[in-house]
Amino acid sequence: MNKTRITDRGIKVGTLPAGPLDKISDVPGVTVGHSTVRDEYHKTGVTVIIPAPDNLFFNKLTAAVHVINGFGKTEGTVQIEELGSIETPIALTGTLNTGKVADALVRYAIEQNAAEGKGCRSVNPVVGETNDGTLSRGADRPVGYEQLTEAIAAASADFDEGDVGAGTGTVCFGLKGGIGSASRQLVIDGETYTVGALLQTNFGSLDDLTVAGIPAGRRIREIIDSELPPKGYEDKGSCMIIIATDIPLSELQLKRVLKRAVIGLSRAGSFLTNGSGDVVIGFTTANRQPVPGPSVREMRCISNDKISAVFTAAAEAVEESVYNSLSCADPVTANNGSKTVRMRALCEFPDALK
């Protein structure tokens, strides 16, 4: 598997420093796991973001959602929007697997609580999706409980990127897309904090791809014009964006941070067209919400006078995550049940980044 990240190719994004791994897991306690389904007709899977190592249902995290363009089939975002909290890991998968993975998350939460001698009458599973039908026969819906628990068991801080897990069948800017991640660190009143992003990229038109200001898509077009979709090929598809931080933020402040994810997408060349489902789910590991908890709880949050740097961190992390999803992906030939598709990858065109 190709593990060459965009920084390994000599590309630097933005001005803020990255964390030690330059991944969402630089936020303390956050881990990520994948389960990949890869056979003759399927290039799909599930990626799970685990915000903290303890039981989230009884120690919820402050969370928010922002919909950039709503052509999507997410689960659980309505309750996050209403209550400002998250109580399960976040799972990403292919569109038609969404319901099965949501059911699997419910089962996982019930079993986890039962093992701890606790019960729950209701649980809000959080699932995001993009449509991997170009490279996979999505109607077979091959992702469910087995794959979810496999991804959870495999979760770690240093996880793979590219065409793995929920990114196995995705296409980004007419090239092989996938899972990408990045982080940024900033100092507030002498204390270092982290903002991390993880993306499932499945959007964009090749001619629009820009990598840190380099017109990489147009350069690739010049190299292999005859093999790629025609010029003017519609920018359509989706991007799931997960943003994590350990900065103390209120739900409203967190939502403001999530809105800046669009800057990262736009810098990479996305125009967020009609058929694109671009949804941002974010959480902070500060301001946990224990259940049961006090009738009146205290919340710490930074001053709005200091939040602009957090906006910058989120935008930079999202932008670099797009590039990592492309840089770590391998070319693939896939049969989606109706036709065979050959998908080229950014790693095949190093000169396009010079």
Side-chain angles (χ1 to χ4, degrees), residues 67-131:
V67 178
I68 301 172
N69 196 69
F71 201 99
K73 288 81 182 170
T74 57
E75 292 266 2
T77 55
V78 172
Q79 182 168 309
I80 296 175
E81 184 73 28
E82 183 70 18
L83 301 183
S85 63
I86 195 168
E87 61 190 28
T88 71
I90 302 167
L92 306 178
T93 189
T95 300
L96 296 184
N97 294 316
T98 303
K100 290 183 65 178
V101 172
D103 183 73
L105 263 178
V106 170
R107 178 178 168 185
Y108 168 79
I110 291 172
E111 291 177 348
Q112 182 186 41
N113 291 334
E116 297 179 11
K118 302 173 182 177
C120 61
R121 296 177 58 188
S122 175
V123 64
N124 185 51
V126 182
V127 184
E129 55 77 34
T130 70
N131 195 322

